[in-house]
């Protein structure tokens, strides 16, 4: 069940030289969901056709079962193997141990954002 649903409006303007040739406002449906993985985080979002995941892990009993089920559920909802953005907040297991399963379902991940750790 989505945590947040709504719309995002954006405006596109195209010019040729100094003449406006296209001006339109579009509405994109958006949906953001905290997935049930027990102790951990798997947050998904959809803005229009753009898909994002923020963290992907669980440390609950049978944690891989929880995260695998949630990934499978998300994949079945969106029916694609392309993910626009994966964000990893930090490298604790309850935020990353589902990434191997996520990459099996979403073989095309356009952008990965993660922290940089200096040692």
């Amino acid at each position: 069940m989505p945590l947040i649903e709504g719309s995002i409006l954006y405006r596109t303007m195209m010019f040729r030289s100094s003449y406006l040739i296209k001006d339109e406002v579009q509405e994109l449906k958006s949906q953001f969901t905290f997935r049930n993985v027990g102790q951990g985080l798997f947050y998904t979002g959809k803005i229009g056709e753009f898909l994002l995941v923020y963290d992907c892990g669980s440390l609950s009993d049978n944690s891989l079962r929880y995260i695998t089920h949630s990934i499978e559920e998300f994949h079945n909802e969106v029916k694609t193997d392309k993910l626009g953005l994966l964000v990893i907040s930090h490298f604790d297991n309850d935020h990353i141990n589902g990434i191997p399963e996520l990459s099996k379902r979403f073989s095309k991940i356009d952008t990965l954002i993660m922290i940089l750790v200096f040692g």
Side-chain angles (χ1 to χ4, degrees), residues 14-31:
M14 295 176 63
F15 293 89
R16 183 171 293 132
S17 296
S18 61
Y19 299 99
L20 179 65
I21 58 172
K22 183 177 180 182
D23 185 4
E24 65 183 22
V25 175
Q26 294 182 335
E27 179 180 6
L28 294 175
K29 298 288 184 195
S30 63
Q31 177 178 316

Side-chain angles (χ1 to χ4, degrees), residues 2-99:
L3 176 68
I4 301 170
E5 285 187 301
S7 297
I8 295 172
L9 297 176
Y10 73 96
R11 184 174 189 179
T12 304
M13 299 175 74
M14 295 176 63
F15 293 89
R16 183 171 293 132
S17 296
S18 61
Y19 299 99
L20 179 65
I21 58 172
K22 183 177 180 182
D23 185 4
E24 65 183 22
V25 175
Q26 294 182 335
E27 179 180 6
L28 294 175
K29 298 288 184 195
S30 63
Q31 177 178 316
F32 301 94
T33 307
F34 281 103
R35 304 286 173 161
N36 183 9
V37 295
Q39 171 61 47
L41 184 61
F42 181 48
Y43 181 74
T44 62
K46 183 176 181 183
I47 304 170
E49 296 302 312
F50 182 82
L51 301 174
L52 65 98
V53 168
Y54 185 91
D55 285 345
C56 184
S58 175
L59 284 186
S60 297
D61 293 338
N62 299 312
S63 62
L64 291 180
R65 183 173 54 98
Y66 277 112
I67 193 68
T68 299
H69 173 75
S70 291
I71 291 168
E72 182 178 294
E73 181 180 72
F74 177 55
H75 184 254
N76 290 338
E77 288 171 15
V78 298
K79 297 175 178 57
T80 183
D81 66 343
K82 184 177 180 183
L83 193 60
L85 175 64
L86 172 60
V87 178
I88 305 302
S89 65
H90 60 285
F91 296 109
D92 290 352
N93 267 342
D94 62 336
H95 293 258
I96 64 169
N97 69 353
I99 293 174

Side-chain angles (χ1 to χ4, degrees), residues 100-115:
E101 184 64 31
L102 184 74
S103 64
K104 288 178 191 173
R105 304 276 180 171
F106 295 91
S107 58
K108 300 172 187 164
I109 300 173
D110 289 340
T111 303
L112 171 65
I113 297 175
M114 60 185 167
I115 61 167

